[in-house]
Amino acid sequence: MDKSISENGETVADGSIRGYDSLHQLLSANLKPELYQEVSRLLLGSNCGRSLEQIVLPDSAKALSSKHDFDLQAVRFSADEEQMRKPRVVRVGLIQNSIALPTTAPFSDQKTGIFEKLKPMIDAAGVAGVNILCLQEAWTMPFAFCTREKKWCEFAEPIDGESAKFLQELAKKYNMVIVSPILERDMDHGEVLWNTAVIIGNNGNIIGKHRSQYMLRKTPSSKLVSFWSKRCEIVFNPSATVGELSEPMWPIEARNAAIANSYFVGSINRVGTEVFPNAFTSGDGKPQHNDFGHFYGSSYFSAPDASCTPSLSRYRDGLMISDMDLNLCRQYKDKWGFRMTARYEVYADLLDKYIKPDFKPQVVSDPMLHKSSS
Amino acid sequence: MDKSISENGETVADGSIRGYDSLHQLLSANLKPELYQEVSRLLLGSNCGRSLEQIVLPDSAKALSSKHDFDLQAVRFSADEEQMRKPRVVRVGLIQNSIALPTTAPFSDQKTGIFEKLKPMIDAAGVAGVNILCLQEAWTMPFAFCTREKKWCEFAEPIDGESAKFLQELAKKYNMVIVSPILERDMDHGEVLWNTAVIIGNNGNIIGKHRSQYMLRKTPSSKLVSFWSKRCEIVFNPSATVGELSEPMWPIEARNAAIANSYFVGSINRVGTEVFPNAFTSGDGKPQHNDFGHFYGSSYFSAPDASCTPSLSRYRDGLMISDMDLNLCRQYKDKWGFRMTARYEVYADLLDKYIKPDFKPQVVSDPMLHKSSS
């Protein structure tokens, strides 16, 4: 992080604002407290009618954050009390980070460097009692797909590869499920590459994997929506995206998925600007460049009641911890009532028609309709 | 509108902020210009890399806004130039309004009162050259569904009823399509009630109707999503919703629909607090009350590139006008590339399985998976 950057948003030579840590920090530093509270109500929502509470973390977690200079935030989502179920509170964590070494370093050093960098952050999650931790997309490597160079595929691993071994020990040590999104090479199917989240159970076993429908770039929010049919109560969206491409969408898509599907969403974006040795173009008519842009971090959680946590830093590595009472999911399904009235068979029928090659959308226009209705 | 309300957000007795016109107005009045510009980039997005431009409206439109005291805003969405298509710019309008008379007035007076109140606003849209205008949900009546009293069904009309006749003349006069969301009574099918948008063509003919899948309360964003399969380039979401229920969702759901489906969305919410003669409860354990809450207006447009207009007032009637180059829709479909790679057949297959009574979601757990993979 550039140390000259002001916490309150500093005006730089071209008149633009740089270097603020997050939108919420920018607003809280520049608005009167009562104004900030109202702006927060509109931007962050309120959780069961209350502001989100801070979680008190053990000193050992805070010490790791100070020593290794990463952002550490911890916030609690509550739910209403129920008569027939007890609260089901899970402590969940997200990690965002920059790469450890320049992209010109030997690949194995780059990977080991990231392992070493992540270790104290995962330790902090562990000592803070996190039950489920998710890392960022393709966390073992720079996000080199923008270069279109194939050599970066060397970072791919089978799901039980080096990164899994590194995490399995920590998962077991801290009794913590770890979701590990990597570039996967499927050795059993002709070395096919996948964008895969490996799920390491709290006993250190690999208990599952999820392969994205979309290969690294171009990950749509529909990816999230398709989880509504499962029994999901938390969906993680590990991603890698830069300011110009998506920053205004960042507070929108995940929150919408949480609201529309009545589940929690964890959104993770990596941090920093990754500079590559060979220049490349991005298909947008702009001159060639050696970096894809600034990965703006800003990882956060969203809840079914439209509330969300503030975001982690736009510049620093970070660990976001959140307690979630999963009972909130069903409470919001019942509150909105769509599960009483939803007509999934209508959507199924529509989609079946839509995928037929001879599908024609209904288009009405004045002369046609006027004739047929007269 | 309470005239004592300050434009900059006034602190009232309980320490909360009331009476600001919109989130954006609140922020622009309280942040330094260069900070507001950056906050705007994150909250409103940017349109093809630029800020949205104001549209200069004819004096006759502005005069109507001053004389009849309604908010009038006009903003342009641009698109990139193409080689194979000319720009396809459409001028689109949204109207939000409070009711005209107390809910205790004779029903026919209440309805006529709204007609009279809307006339100068529709005239303003007409003289401003609006091509397509959309009114708010159930615009001919108070939003009485919260009372659960059946007498308000008297406001229902067939699609060629009184309100259609009122609008048909104006549509013809101004060569303007008008979308008219009413409580419909289907005389040909046993007087069934529908939540219907009647489409009045620019020649004054009724050219179509759309009946909501959901009956007035409980209108989900999935309503919007289901339009992706049609050839839509603009989707209107006329709604009626109050602060406590949904205000933090208001800037989220419609913008997500615009981004995910690459179309423009017009979001309309009525304005004001409607007090009913008989007290009612809302199923939330709170004491009975005579109003449902404050309808917070805030109507606005969203675009496929994640940009959006500022919102109309939270308190006043308003007309929002926007020029949209519809070419932006396909430009964003192509930019994100999902139409190159989308696998709708996977979704169709999933949904077909999901609606079967014996559908079981996939749930993995450590012991099971460990056993089967060893």
Side-chain angles (χ1 to χ4, degrees):
Chain A
M1 185 195 179
D2 180 349
K3 292 295 183 193
S4 74
I5 277 163
S6 137
E7 272 213 341
N8 296 356
E10 181 182 87
T11 309
V12 294
D14 66 356
S16 64
I17 300 292
R18 299 274 169 75
Y20 57 93
D21 223 36
S22 75
L23 173 63
H24 307 109
Q25 175 271 325
L26 186 71
L27 292 173
S28 77
N30 288 283
L31 290 174
K32 286 183 294 184
E34 65 273 21
L35 272 180
Y36 177 66
Q37 200 184 331
E38 177 64 3
V39 168
S40 279
R41 182 182 73 82
L42 294 174
L43 292 183
L44 303 184
S46 68
N47 172 231
C48 301
R50 298 177 290 271
S51 298
L52 295 180
E53 284 168 55
Q54 302 295 314
I55 300 171
V56 179
L57 293 179
D59 289 340
S60 51
K62 289 188 232 167
L64 284 162
S65 142
S66 305
K67 182 171 172 200
H68 297 279
D69 190 29
F70 58 86
D71 191 6
L72 175 63
Q73 298 189 39
V75 178
R76 172 175 297 116
F77 292 103
S78 314
D80 287 335
E81 269 186 40
E82 298 183 18
Q83 298 207 19
M84 306 293 272
R85 294 193 301 183
K86 293 195 173 134
R88 295 180 299 130
V89 178
V90 181
R91 184 161 288 187
V92 189
L94 305 175
I95 285 179
Q96 66 175 33
N97 60 280
S98 58
I99 52 178
L101 295 178
T103 60
T104 45
F107 285 2
S108 60
D109 291 356
Q110 289 189 47
K111 199 174 191 178
T112 315
I114 296 175
F115 287 10
E116 282 165 11
K117 189 175 212 261
L118 277 188
K119 176 76 170 46
M121 300 177 75
I122 299 173
D123 284 336
V127 298
V130 165
N131 303 114
I132 309 173
L133 176 69
C134 186
L135 307 182
Q136 71 194 16
E137 186 176 28
W139 68 269
T140 63
M141 59 184 293
F143 207 74
F145 311 98
C146 49
T147 67
R148 296 188 300 286
E149 292 170 342
K150 303 308 176 283
K151 64 179 182 181
W152 305 97
C153 294
E154 279 201 60
F155 277 94
E157 297 181 10
I159 65 162
D160 57 355
E162 202 181 351
S163 65
K165 288 183 179 60
F166 165 68
L167 295 175
Q168 284 177 288
E169 260 185 57
L170 293 163
K172 201 168 170 180
K173 176 173 180 187
Y174 292 117
N175 188 30
M176 177 166 72
V177 173
I178 303 182
V179 181
S180 167
I182 60 164
L183 181 61
E184 180 201 350
R185 190 179 292 284
D186 180 357
M187 303 305 289
D188 299 335
H189 291 87
E191 308 204 329
V192 166
L193 294 167
W194 291 93
N195 186 11
T196 298
V198 181
I199 322 295
I200 297 165
N202 57 319
N203 299 317
N205 302 316
I206 295 170
I207 62 169
K209 63 174 182 295
H210 176 78
R211 288 171 170 165
S212 173
Q213 274 216 38
Y214 292 87
M215 194 57 206
L216 295 151
R217 314 241 342 234
K218 319 289 186 197
T219 47
S221 65
S222 62
K223 186 173 75 172
L224 301 182
V225 176
S226 71
F227 289 107
W228 61 261
S229 74
K230 303 189 192 281
R231 271 170 46 187
C232 296
E233 296 182 302
I234 310 173
V235 170
F236 296 100
N237 183 24
S239 51
T241 184
V242 293
E244 214 175 302
L245 197 60
S246 66
E247 201 163 357
M249 300 179 192
W250 187 247
I252 301 286
E253 294 185 314
R255 290 183 68 190
N256 186 78
I259 296 166
N261 299 294
S262 297
Y263 51 51
F264 289 93
V265 177
S267 304
I268 314 172
N269 184 25
R270 64 174 58 208
V271 173
T273 304
E274 301 175 355
V275 179
F276 294 96
N278 300 320
F280 54 91
T281 54
S282 294
D284 57 4
K286 292 188 184 154
Q288 64 174 17
H289 38 262
N290 288 69
D291 71 78
F292 184 49
H294 174 67
F295 293 101
Y296 53 82
S298 307
S299 305
Y300 71 108
F301 285 110
S302 325
D305 63 358
S307 64
C308 65
T309 67
S311 300
L312 285 177
S313 170
R314 296 176 75 246
Y315 291 94
R316 299 167 68 205
D317 295 351
L319 166 63
M320 168 68 76
I321 294 176
S322 186
D323 283 357
M324 303 172 178
D325 184 344
L326 300 179
N327 283 355
L328 194 65
C329 300
R330 187 193 287 171
Q331 287 172 16
Y332 267 79
K333 287 179 185 172
D334 288 349
K335 175 172 176 174
W336 287 113
F338 301 137
R339 272 76 179 178
M340 274 196 192
T341 57
R343 299 176 59 190
Y344 296 113
E345 71 288 358
V346 174
Y347 298 117
D349 183 55
L350 173 67
L351 215 40
D352 283 337
K353 287 182 183 144
Y354 182 74
I355 58 174
K356 298 231 161 67
D358 62 353
F359 172 79
K360 288 279 177 211
Q362 182 201 21
V363 176
V364 301
S365 58
D366 191 350
M368 274 178 54
L369 198 93
H370 196 226
K371 208 187 295 172
S372 69
S373 71
S374 64
Chain B
M1 185 199 177
D2 179 350
K3 292 296 182 192
S4 74
I5 278 163
S6 136
E7 271 213 341
N8 295 356
E10 181 183 86
T11 309
V12 293
D14 67 355
S16 65
I17 300 293
R18 300 275 167 74
Y20 57 92
D21 224 36
S22 75
L23 173 64
H24 308 108
Q25 175 271 326
L26 186 72
L27 292 172
S28 77
N30 288 283
L31 291 174
K32 287 183 294 184
E34 64 273 21
L35 272 180
Y36 176 67
Q37 200 184 331
E38 177 64 3
V39 168
S40 279
R41 182 182 74 82
L42 294 174
L43 292 183
L44 303 184
S46 68
N47 172 232
C48 301
R50 296 178 290 271
S51 299
L52 294 180
E53 283 169 55
Q54 302 295 315
I55 300 172
V56 179
L57 293 178
D59 290 339
S60 51
K62 288 188 232 167
L64 284 163
S65 142
S66 305
K67 183 172 172 198
H68 297 278
D69 190 29
F70 59 85
D71 190 7
L72 176 62
Q73 299 190 40
V75 177
R76 172 175 298 117
F77 292 103
S78 314
D80 286 336
E81 269 186 39
E82 298 183 16
Q83 298 207 19
M84 305 294 272
R85 296 194 300 184
K86 293 196 172 132
R88 295 178 302 130
V89 178
V90 181
R91 184 161 288 188
V92 189
L94 304 176
I95 285 179
Q96 66 175 33
N97 59 280
S98 57
I99 53 178
L101 295 179
T103 59
T104 46
F107 285 3
S108 61
D109 291 357
Q110 288 190 48
K111 199 175 192 177
T112 315
I114 295 174
F115 287 11
E116 281 165 13
K117 189 174 212 260
L118 276 188
K119 176 75 169 48
M121 299 176 75
I122 300 173
D123 284 335
V127 299
V130 165
N131 302 114
I132 308 173
L133 176 68
C134 186
L135 307 182
Q136 71 194 17
E137 186 176 27
W139 68 269
T140 63
M141 60 184 292
F143 207 73
F145 310 98
C146 48
T147 68
R148 294 187 302 287
E149 292 170 341
K150 304 306 177 283
K151 64 179 182 181
W152 304 96
C153 294
E154 278 201 60
F155 276 94
E157 297 181 7
I159 65 162
D160 58 354
E162 203 180 350
S163 66
K165 287 183 179 61
F166 165 68
L167 296 174
Q168 284 176 289
E169 261 185 56
L170 292 163
K172 201 167 169 179
K173 176 173 179 186
Y174 293 118
N175 188 29
M176 176 166 74
V177 174
I178 303 182
V179 182
S180 167
I182 60 164
L183 181 60
E184 180 200 350
R185 190 179 291 286
D186 180 357
M187 303 304 290
D188 299 335
H189 293 86
E191 307 203 331
V192 167
L193 293 166
W194 290 95
N195 186 12
T196 300
V198 181
I199 322 294
I200 297 165
N202 56 318
N203 299 317
N205 302 315
I206 295 170
I207 61 169
K209 63 175 182 296
H210 176 78
R211 288 171 171 166
S212 173
Q213 273 216 39
Y214 292 87
M215 193 58 205
L216 295 149
R217 315 234 351 229
K218 319 290 188 195
T219 47
S221 65
S222 61
K223 188 172 74 174
L224 301 183
V225 176
S226 71
F227 288 107
W228 62 262
S229 73
K230 303 189 193 280
R231 270 169 47 184
C232 296
E233 295 182 304
I234 310 173
V235 170
F236 297 100
N237 183 24
S239 52
T241 184
V242 293
E244 214 174 301
L245 197 62
S246 66
E247 201 162 358
M249 300 179 191
W250 187 247
I252 301 285
E253 295 185 313
R255 289 183 68 189
N256 187 78
I259 295 165
N261 300 293
S262 298
Y263 50 52
F264 289 92
V265 176
S267 303
I268 314 172
N269 184 24
R270 64 174 57 208
V271 174
T273 304
E274 301 177 355
V275 180
F276 294 95
N278 300 321
F280 54 91
T281 54
S282 294
D284 56 4
K286 291 189 185 152
Q288 62 174 18
H289 39 260
N290 288 69
D291 70 79
F292 184 50
H294 175 67
F295 294 100
Y296 54 81
S298 307
S299 305
Y300 72 108
F301 285 110
S302 325
D305 63 358
S307 65
C308 65
T309 67
S311 300
L312 284 177
S313 170
R314 295 176 76 246
Y315 291 93
R316 300 166 67 203
D317 295 350
L319 167 62
M320 169 67 77
I321 294 176
S322 186
D323 283 356
M324 303 171 178
D325 184 345
L326 300 179
N327 283 356
L328 193 65
C329 300
R330 187 193 287 171
Q331 286 172 17
Y332 267 78
K333 287 179 186 173
D334 288 350
K335 175 171 176 175
W336 287 113
F338 301 137
R339 272 75 180 180
M340 273 196 192
T341 57
R343 299 176 59 191
Y344 296 113
E345 71 288 356
V346 174
Y347 298 116
D349 184 54
L350 173 67
L351 215 39
D352 283 338
K353 287 182 182 144
Y354 183 73
I355 58 174
K356 296 230 161 69
D358 62 353
F359 172 80
K360 289 279 176 209
Q362 181 202 22
V363 175
V364 301
S365 58
D366 190 349
M368 274 177 54
L369 198 93
H370 195 226
K371 207 187 295 172
S372 69
S373 71
S374 64

